[in-house]
Amino acid sequence: MSTITQIESKAHLESLIKETAIVVCDFYADWCGPCKAIAPFFQKLSETTAGVPSVRFAKVDTQVHRDIAAAYSVSALPTFIVFKDGAVLERIQGADPRKLQQAVARLAGHLLSGGGSSSSNSGGASASGRNNGNSGGANGSWRGAELPRGYTDITDQIEPKGSELLNADDNSGPVKVLFDGAKPSALGDKKGEEAKTKDWVESGEDDQLLLFMPFQSMVKLHTLQLTSLPAKDDDDAPMRPGKIHLYTNKPHNLDFSEADDTPPTQAIELTEKDWNANGTANIGLRFVKFQNITSLVIYVVSGDGDGDKVRLDRVRLVGESGEKREMGKLEKIGDEPGE
């Protein structure tokens, strides 16, 4: 018996995601080479959850069901969409086995934690033991705060090679550690683990940082999650960010004087009460101003306190990727198999 459901209509898919807690759906086309290449891998992943009634794998032929592809804003092939409790939880564009496997691993962690283990329990937004904000499983990406309902972690849309961090201390880790899905070493159990890994960044001469992040695709940002974990028993420890300015759609990083002279897309003031037990601030963005974003600049204008430096351990982006592409692009996918 096949472990994958072939979707026959839009109503069929809607019924499946309504009746099943978690649905992993592959949007493909027969002419698409990458779709064919990853199909065996998708099949193997489906077999890992065989017998679990709350999880189903499905496939949508976008040549046959263009209405379904349009309804879910599928603009590139293959696209994998994970539905949880009837809403889009995660979206993966392209034949990327690693990202797909990580998504399924996060589902496995969710199931093991007690969430979504049966259809009757699919209504709960949080599983027991997740109040600390760590919504990733043992094999999934760590997050310092819960995701807003209906939105996904799109940190993987950041292009690390094009990212740039200004005024970082020489002893800091590389900029890519900010986007790492691993649990920050400062929250680890082993003494001295933090000092060995250097999976954080600190400012250099003063308490300012400028972080430029280009994206792999156009995104919509809903929430910014920042994690900062200065040592509590060190009088000379750096500060957490206090005043932050955000800038969107810049082709490159700003310098500090340019940032000071440019009106921000949004200005943020953080205080001690904004940081949770994981050292994470969950910052809601003015969603209307963060539509169709190709890059983001985070300017830490100053720290919260009287110290000389600021520290960042993780940056997570929450929102939607590849949403609401022009319908002409969707038609192009089906009409030009040579691309």
Side-chain angles (χ1 to χ4, degrees), residues 63-304:
Q63 282 186 300
V64 177
H65 302 294
R66 293 193 179 193
D67 59 328
I68 305 178
Y72 292 99
S73 302
V74 174
S75 59
L77 296 179
T79 289
F80 301 91
I81 299 181
V82 180
F83 299 91
K84 178 178 179 292
D85 299 338
V88 174
L89 176 67
E90 190 163 357
R91 178 185 294 263
I92 302 166
Q93 289 186 330
D96 191 328
R98 180 183 61 84
K99 289 183 180 179
L100 188 55
Q101 188 169 30
Q102 287 177 345
V104 174
R106 286 192 287 272
L107 292 179
H110 173 74
L111 291 172
L112 289 172
S113 71
S117 58
S118 67
S119 296
S120 62
N121 191 38
S122 63
S126 299
S128 175
R130 290 173 60 194
N131 291 332
N132 62 359
N134 185 3
S135 56
N139 297 319
S141 294
W142 179 88
R143 285 189 291 270
E146 293 284 354
L147 295 179
R149 184 174 177 84
Y151 294 95
T152 63
D153 185 334
I154 58 171
T155 309
D156 61 0
Q157 293 299 308
I158 298 172
E159 181 53 67
K161 292 182 179 180
S163 299
E164 182 183 37
L165 182 64
L166 299 184
N167 194 40
D169 187 88
D170 292 338
N171 292 322
S172 297
V175 63
K176 66 180 181 180
V177 302
L178 294 175
F179 321 131
D180 197 328
K183 181 179 180 180
S185 61
L187 293 175
D189 299 325
K190 296 180 180 179
K191 187 177 180 180
E193 181 182 353
E194 176 186 8
K196 294 178 182 179
T197 58
K198 293 184 179 178
D199 64 336
W200 73 96
V201 300
E202 292 182 11
S203 61
E205 297 181 355
D206 52 35
D207 59 342
Q208 294 186 321
L209 287 170
L210 260 173
L211 173 61
F212 171 70
M213 298 171 291
F215 302 140
Q216 298 174 10
S217 64
M218 193 173 292
V219 305
K220 297 179 182 179
L221 295 181
H222 180 276
T223 301
L224 173 66
Q225 295 180 346
L226 300 180
T227 300
S228 180
L229 298 162
K232 296 181 179 180
D233 55 355
D234 184 356
D235 293 337
D236 296 324
M239 301 174 289
R240 285 173 168 161
K243 184 178 181 180
I244 296 172
H245 286 177
L246 302 180
Y247 307 88
T248 58
N249 292 335
K250 300 298 180 183
H252 51 73
N253 206 356
L254 306 174
D255 59 39
F256 287 97
S257 60
E258 186 180 4
D260 288 334
D261 293 337
T262 302
T265 306
Q266 183 169 336
I268 300 157
E269 294 277 355
L270 297 175
T271 62
E272 184 177 354
K273 64 181 179 61
D274 294 309
W275 304 90
N276 68 13
N278 282 327
T280 299
N282 202 51
I283 303 167
L285 303 179
R286 296 172 182 168
F287 199 45
V288 68
K289 292 190 175 184
F290 290 83
Q291 306 284 307
N292 303 322
I293 303 305
T294 58
S295 69
L296 179 69
V297 174
I298 299 177
Y299 177 22
V300 179
V301 182
S302 60
D304 180 24

